[in-house]
Amino acid sequence: MIDKILDSPAAALAEVPDGATILIGGFGNAGMPSALLDALIAQGARNLTVVNNNAGNADAGLAALIAAKRVSKILCSFPRQTDSWHFDKAWRAGELELELVPQGTLAERLRAAGAGVGAFYTPTAFGTRLAEGKETRHINGRDYVLEYPIHGDYALIKADRADRWGNLAYRKTARNFGPIMAAAAKCTVAQVRQIVALGAIDPEHVVTPGIFVQRVVKVPALEGAA
Amino acid sequence: MIDKILDSPAAALAEVPDGATILIGGFGNAGMPSALLDALIAQGARNLTVVNNNAGNADAGLAALIAAKRVSKILCSFPRQTDSWHFDKAWRAGELELELVPQGTLAERLRAAGAGVGAFYTPTAFGTRLAEGKETRHINGRDYVLEYPIHGDYALIKADRADRWGNLAYRKTARNFGPIMAAAAKCTVAQVRQIVALGAIDPEHVVTPGIFVQRVVKVPALEGAA
Amino acid sequence: MKKLGRNQIAARVARDIPEGAYVNLGIGLPTLVANHIPGDREVILHSENGVLGIGPRPAPGREDEDLIDAGKSPVTLLAGGSYFHHADSFGMIRGGHIDICVLGAFQVAANGDIANWHTGEADAIPAVGGAMDLAAGAKQVFVTMEHLTKKGESKIVERCSYPLTGVGCVTRVYTDLAVIDIKADGLHLVEICAEGLSFEELQKLNGVALKYKAAV
Amino acid sequence: MKKLGRNQIAARVARDIPEGAYVNLGIGLPTLVANHIPGDREVILHSENGVLGIGPRPAPGREDEDLIDAGKSPVTLLAGGSYFHHADSFGMIRGGHIDICVLGAFQVAANGDIANWHTGEADAIPAVGGAMDLAAGAKQVFVTMEHLTKKGESKIVERCSYPLTGVGCVTRVYTDLAVIDIKADGLHLVEICAEGLSFEELQKLNGVALKYKAAV
């Protein structure tokens, strides 16, 4: 019997090696896999490359991972926040490399990784500093920049419900990067509020089919909000 | 008040010009917008470029459009069927140009059009006759073929339910090309079984947001099966 | 002269947003535009983080941390709204499905270039978000900004000195002084908004030449 | 010698499909594989037209025209199944998420090339469907075919003479005579399936050299 459900975030992340690329879902607090981030900090892997829309807020989650000096590189679209002090400090100290990626290009590069696209041309950022040094091409009257996929070793995402096959449904704007990160990683770990019986998620309403999910951990709402 | 619902297939297709590119949803009978195809035949536009997975079956729908000599070019993945006699005859007579596209490349080219991607590299068809004359590139240890988007002037698709904003939900495997064709066309016309009140499709379950749909026509199930 | 306030600029933008438009409002002043769209005009608001059909701010205590906009503020959803993932959301933007986006800016150039993401200072922490995608992808890019810097220099310039967000994409600029269209042949004054400001004075403040077809 | 029948080949393939595998079965003989997967082994079947978790054929009269597989035959859906659109479906294939696809073929070459979509005749109406995507994208490509043509020529060849479907992608071939792995250093016989067929006879029929590590 297929059963992707594990007992704890710690069990789900036990083998994360140093140097891994970790895709982290969420936009603001919505969809942020807090319990998985706590487990990753406890697990101890170092020299990580992290992909997230932001670069951590306040003192928990990704910010705590940065504060613990586990992150050597971060790909994100918007690191600067009023409370991104751990990132700010590490970046100014040169402890951490930043690859700034426009948000839509970040999303499309993740989507390309999941969908087996080798590279793609996007109009975004053409003629700007973020396209400097990149290959460009004029296609059908418009200018485009060549961009490459972002593959993850792990994706840590948060969904609302899962079944034992790993099918996921999300809640409102907490969906955000979850589906595309799930498809872009070798090992996707989903933190969910609720485990439901196989078939309880209507097949029309499955947002991330289980083919993209390797591990599921139930984290009750209270713990997830920590 | 936004209201994308029109009275009839004829009203929805009144302005289709000669020479238009028409994306036609459906895979087999599932998702085939039969009533819209009948209306397109009655409307009379000629010299059409048609995109569909197949090239018509038996004597109705796309096959009838071909029989009526309205199609000058077809892009599809699988024209040859036991009952594709109208296509077979027109193709052998040289009346119709065929661009044969691997099914996944067809889907991805449509998706690229809807998502504003200028071109993309796919591993599919590398080293085969269908990649002859196409640009290729070696990326990260694999060989890829460069492919371009397929934009439509019109998309004719079939969905299960719609509201007046044009939000769509589909039924089972009738979803197939609908969502990506809707996004790839300037004017998407959806034939639906049922019109529901705004909000009656759960926002979590909308598959094609109304932003991709310009016109909706209700076609009761019996008529749609004709 | 009497310059427009932030809400007046937002109201002026709202006048130009037609029923049925799919609109993305940037953070800051652009977000205020939503407050000025008449209640009987259906406009569908998009946010980069995967939502169409944003409604008013929730009442205090009714916030849902899973329902936020691109500025990470709590919002509500109208009947007819929908949720989708980030790649689909930016597919809408990049694919030209958003009719209008409204962005703030540091500078706009006469050729439609926009600079709004980076001050150019070497030690500034850069952050771009979805601004470059919106600039490149929306059918129309409206910019709202104060017309002049604190030093009195025009933010509408011949060529941006700040790092660009997008090239040749801005279609209309709404400032506290005027509304200006950007076309292939340059800047066209649509109307003067500041009370008591003459065309000649505006032209002088603006720096770059303005075309103005008065009685149309 | 006694060659395997179609159902015996399908049953042999089924033996190699492990629990939990995501599998795409091509039209024809490959479709039969589903019938031979033990009922207590959970295997998730994918079809190109946007479905995961395909179950048995429906009982007569219970067909649903909106629920079909890539061969356009009516199917059922297991609990845990899901629907998605064509770009997502081929994203699964191209992105390497399908563990095994099983395809028929005209020819397979010693380097893993496969030819299964076109006879090469000039006036043949070409049709490719999803074959090239599956060949390029699945983690493992299994081929089922009769070992010999009607004329007695091996369909396992040094180099395909028919137009290719994919290059260097086939990992294992199941015929009515044998199971053969394709590795970087050539063909490896896994087992002889036809009763009474010796390695030497198979080698002679096969044409291309076979490696065979007997007692492993």
Side-chain angles (χ1 to χ4, degrees):
Chain A
M1 199 177 85
I2 298 169
D3 189 358
K4 300 185 180 179
I5 300 160
L6 294 187
D7 285 340
S8 67
L13 299 177
E15 312 123 26
V16 177
D18 288 356
T21 295
I22 317 280
L23 316 179
I24 300 173
F27 183 93
N29 283 326
M32 186 62 67
S34 309
L36 297 178
L37 283 165
D38 290 348
L40 183 63
I41 293 167
Q43 192 264 0
R46 312 188 69 85
N47 194 26
L48 301 173
T49 294
V50 163
V51 182
N52 179 253
N53 187 64
N54 302 100
N57 296 81
D59 300 310
L62 177 51
L65 194 71
I66 292 169
K69 300 189 190 298
R70 304 287 183 68
V71 181
S72 57
K73 180 174 178 180
I74 188 160
L75 289 85
C76 72
S77 86
F78 211 90
R80 187 184 65 232
Q81 311 255 280
T82 51
D83 56 356
S84 59
W85 43 70
H86 291 296
F87 167 82
D88 298 3
K89 191 179 154 204
W91 185 73
R92 291 194 196 285
E95 294 168 4
L96 179 151
E97 182 187 350
L98 168 67
E99 181 176 341
L100 191 75
V101 184
Q103 198 174 147
T105 301
L106 188 69
E108 191 65 13
R109 289 176 65 188
L110 290 163
R111 193 264 170 192
V117 169
F120 62 92
Y121 290 96
T122 177
T124 299
F126 179 85
T128 77
R129 187 182 278 195
L130 295 189
E132 273 172 24
K134 296 192 174 180
E135 198 175 323
T136 62
R137 183 185 288 237
H138 195 75
I139 303 170
N140 207 8
R142 282 202 79 174
D143 292 305
Y144 293 86
V145 181
L146 184 64
E147 292 285 354
Y148 293 89
I150 299 172
H151 292 272
D153 294 306
Y154 285 80
L156 312 186
I157 64 172
K158 182 180 171 186
D160 188 58
R161 305 181 300 291
D163 60 32
R164 66 179 173 82
W165 281 12
N167 291 307
L168 303 181
Y170 299 82
R171 191 167 174 277
K172 303 187 179 184
T173 58
R175 188 183 301 195
N176 59 65
F177 285 95
I180 51 177
M181 287 185 168
K186 288 194 202 93
C187 181
T188 291
V189 184
Q191 159 183 346
V192 302
R193 184 183 58 84
Q194 194 187 4
I195 306 278
V196 298
L198 201 64
I201 307 177
D202 185 318
E204 304 280 5
H205 306 156
V206 169
V207 173
T208 295
I211 192 170
F212 298 126
V213 178
Q214 283 68 45
R215 299 172 189 178
V216 172
V217 183
K218 180 178 169 179
V219 177
L222 259 179
E223 197 178 327
Chain B
M1 197 178 89
I2 298 169
D3 189 358
K4 300 185 180 180
I5 300 161
L6 294 187
D7 285 339
S8 67
L13 298 178
E15 313 123 25
V16 176
D18 290 355
T21 295
I22 317 279
L23 316 178
I24 301 173
F27 183 91
N29 283 325
M32 185 63 66
S34 308
L36 298 177
L37 283 166
D38 290 347
L40 183 62
I41 293 167
Q43 192 263 0
R46 312 188 70 84
N47 194 25
L48 301 173
T49 294
V50 162
V51 182
N52 180 251
N53 187 63
N54 301 100
N57 295 83
D59 300 309
L62 177 52
L65 194 71
I66 292 169
K69 299 190 189 297
R70 304 290 181 66
V71 180
S72 57
K73 181 175 177 181
I74 188 160
L75 290 86
C76 71
S77 86
F78 211 88
R80 187 183 65 230
Q81 310 256 278
T82 52
D83 57 355
S84 60
W85 43 70
H86 291 297
F87 167 81
D88 298 3
K89 192 179 153 201
W91 186 71
R92 290 196 197 282
E95 293 168 5
L96 180 151
E97 183 188 346
L98 168 67
E99 181 175 340
L100 191 75
V101 186
Q103 196 172 150
T105 300
L106 188 68
E108 191 65 12
R109 289 176 64 188
L110 289 162
R111 194 264 171 193
V117 169
F120 61 91
Y121 290 95
T122 176
T124 298
F126 179 84
T128 77
R129 188 182 277 197
L130 295 189
E132 273 172 23
K134 296 191 172 178
E135 198 175 322
T136 62
R137 184 185 287 238
H138 195 77
I139 302 169
N140 207 8
R142 282 203 79 176
D143 292 305
Y144 294 86
V145 180
L146 184 64
E147 293 285 354
Y148 294 89
I150 298 171
H151 292 273
D153 294 306
Y154 284 80
L156 313 187
I157 65 172
K158 182 180 170 185
D160 189 59
R161 305 181 301 289
D163 60 32
R164 65 179 174 81
W165 280 12
N167 291 307
L168 303 181
Y170 300 82
R171 189 167 176 276
K172 305 187 177 183
T173 58
R175 187 183 303 194
N176 58 66
F177 285 94
I180 50 177
M181 286 186 169
K186 289 193 200 94
C187 180
T188 291
V189 184
Q191 159 183 346
V192 302
R193 185 183 58 84
Q194 194 187 3
I195 305 280
V196 298
L198 201 65
I201 306 176
D202 186 318
E204 304 280 6
H205 305 156
V206 170
V207 173
T208 295
I211 191 170
F212 297 127
V213 178
Q214 282 67 45
R215 299 172 190 178
V216 172
V217 182
K218 179 178 169 181
V219 177
L222 260 180
E223 198 178 331
Chain C
M1 80 179 154
K2 196 178 167 202
K3 298 180 181 182
L4 296 189
R6 286 163 58 87
N7 268 300
Q8 289 172 301
I9 298 175
R12 180 59 191 83
V13 174
R15 267 178 49 198
D16 290 347
I17 296 182
E19 170 144 297
Y22 290 89
V23 178
N24 183 297
L25 301 175
I27 298 168
L29 196 160
T31 300
L32 299 178
V33 171
N35 303 338
H36 297 278
I37 295 171
D40 62 348
R41 192 191 299 166
E42 281 195 322
V43 167
I44 299 177
L45 298 180
H46 172 267
S47 195
E48 296 95 300
N49 55 320
V51 54
L52 268 173
I54 292 177
R57 303 275 163 207
R62 305 281 296 171
E63 298 90 353
D64 180 337
E65 73 164 5
D66 285 340
L67 180 46
I68 59 175
D69 65 12
K72 290 163 191 164
S73 299
V75 293
T76 57
L77 191 77
L78 300 178
S82 55
Y83 302 113
F84 33 86
H85 63 56
H86 247 82
D88 281 350
S89 185
F90 279 89
M92 288 177 194
I93 294 171
R94 204 188 305 103
H97 304 281
I98 301 293
D99 296 304
I100 298 167
C101 81
V102 186
L103 297 172
F106 299 139
Q107 289 178 324
V108 172
N111 67 351
D113 289 358
I114 174 174
N116 82 345
W117 72 284
H118 198 297
T119 60
E121 287 162 37
D123 71 332
I125 293 174
V128 67
M132 288 190 180
D133 305 281
L134 286 161
K139 280 186 212 154
Q140 292 193 69
V141 176
F142 290 177
V143 166
T144 61
M145 60 182 188
E146 294 182 342
H147 209 112
L148 306 175
T149 65
K150 283 173 190 160
K151 292 182 182 169
E153 291 162 346
S154 177
K155 294 183 179 179
I156 296 179
V157 294
E158 199 60 61
R159 177 182 281 267
C160 294
S161 58
Y162 284 50
L164 295 185
T165 304
V167 297
C169 55
V170 177
T171 51
R172 183 168 268 202
V173 183
Y174 299 82
T175 77
D176 48 355
L177 303 185
V179 179
I180 295 170
D181 272 345
I182 300 185
K183 299 189 177 176
D185 65 346
L187 302 177
H188 291 251
L189 177 63
V190 176
E191 66 191 46
I192 291 173
C193 301
E195 242 178 79
L197 178 67
S198 71
F199 176 72
E200 290 67 29
E201 288 168 319
L202 175 65
Q203 175 62 80
K204 201 168 163 188
L205 291 169
N206 192 65
V208 189
L210 292 170
K211 294 180 174 63
Y212 188 36
K213 227 193 264 184
V216 176
Chain D
M1 79 179 155
K2 196 176 166 203
K3 298 180 181 183
L4 295 190
R6 286 163 57 85
N7 269 300
Q8 290 174 301
I9 298 175
R12 180 61 191 83
V13 174
R15 266 178 49 197
D16 289 348
I17 296 182
E19 171 144 295
Y22 290 89
V23 177
N24 184 297
L25 300 176
I27 297 169
L29 197 159
T31 301
L32 299 177
V33 171
N35 303 338
H36 298 278
I37 296 170
D40 62 347
R41 192 190 300 166
E42 280 196 321
V43 168
I44 299 177
L45 299 180
H46 171 268
S47 194
E48 296 95 300
N49 55 320
V51 53
L52 268 173
I54 291 177
R57 303 276 165 207
R62 304 281 295 170
E63 298 88 354
D64 181 336
E65 73 165 7
D66 286 341
L67 181 46
I68 59 176
D69 65 12
K72 290 162 192 164
S73 299
V75 293
T76 57
L77 192 78
L78 300 178
S82 55
Y83 302 113
F84 33 85
H85 64 59
H86 247 80
D88 281 349
S89 185
F90 280 89
M92 288 176 193
I93 295 172
R94 204 189 304 104
H97 305 282
I98 302 294
D99 295 305
I100 297 167
C101 79
V102 186
L103 297 172
F106 299 138
Q107 291 177 325
V108 172
N111 67 351
D113 290 358
I114 174 174
N116 82 345
W117 72 286
H118 199 295
T119 59
E121 288 162 36
D123 71 333
I125 292 175
V128 66
M132 288 189 181
D133 306 282
L134 286 161
K139 278 185 213 156
Q140 291 192 72
V141 176
F142 289 176
V143 166
T144 62
M145 61 183 185
E146 294 183 340
H147 208 112
L148 306 176
T149 66
K150 282 172 191 163
K151 293 183 184 169
E153 291 164 344
S154 177
K155 294 183 178 180
I156 297 180
V157 294
E158 199 60 63
R159 178 181 282 264
C160 294
S161 58
Y162 284 45
L164 294 185
T165 304
V167 297
C169 55
V170 177
T171 50
R172 183 168 270 202
V173 183
Y174 299 81
T175 77
D176 47 356
L177 303 186
V179 178
I180 295 171
D181 272 346
I182 300 185
K183 299 189 176 175
D185 64 347
L187 303 177
H188 291 251
L189 177 64
V190 177
E191 66 192 44
I192 292 173
C193 300
E195 241 180 81
L197 178 69
S198 71
F199 176 72
E200 290 68 27
E201 286 167 320
L202 175 66
Q203 175 62 78
K204 202 168 164 189
L205 292 170
N206 191 66
V208 189
L210 292 170
K211 295 180 172 65
Y212 188 37
K213 225 192 262 182
V216 175

